[in-house]
Amino acid sequence: MELRDAVEADAERLADLTDSPRDVMRNLVHDRTVRVAEQGEEIVGFVSYDARTRTVHVTQIEGEPDAFPTLLEEPLGFARAEGMAVEMLVPDGEPEVEDAAIAAGFEETGSGPRFEGRPTTRLRTEQP
């Protein structure tokens, strides 16, 4: 599995992974740090994140569950280099994402806000 920065041309595949409009994914590529995981020539997942006030926020992670550990290493590595914490919200009903995050060192810190009507769990890890 190879990782690279997302480019605007990836918006259609990211839209397919998320059932979101292509325009939304194009904006995501421009507004956030977005890394894609490729298996051969196919994008099998992506992670988006941004950094604010000593915390890296994972804003989205999608794709094949096997890609999640590799994708999560991107915001975690950035946070380690900058001495920042990492937070993410996981919507209920996405156990693969939550399991990968916990395996990567995240801990549940309580409930998060509802997202598109779904409850979320807030996960956080402090980087050394």
Side-chain angles (χ1 to χ4, degrees), residues 56-67:
V56 174
H57 297 272
V58 175
T59 56
Q60 198 163 4
I61 184 167
E62 299 284 347
E64 296 180 9
D66 290 347

Side-chain angles (χ1 to χ4, degrees), residues 106-117:
F106 286 81
E107 296 179 358
E108 291 185 19
T109 60
S111 297
R114 295 180 79 76
F115 182 71
E116 295 180 351

Side-chain angles (χ1 to χ4, degrees), residues 73-90:
E73 188 51 41
E74 291 295 304
L76 288 168
F78 178 84
R80 271 192 298 275
E82 299 297 323
M84 301 173 83
V86 184
E87 275 193 4
M88 63 188 295
L89 299 173
V90 178

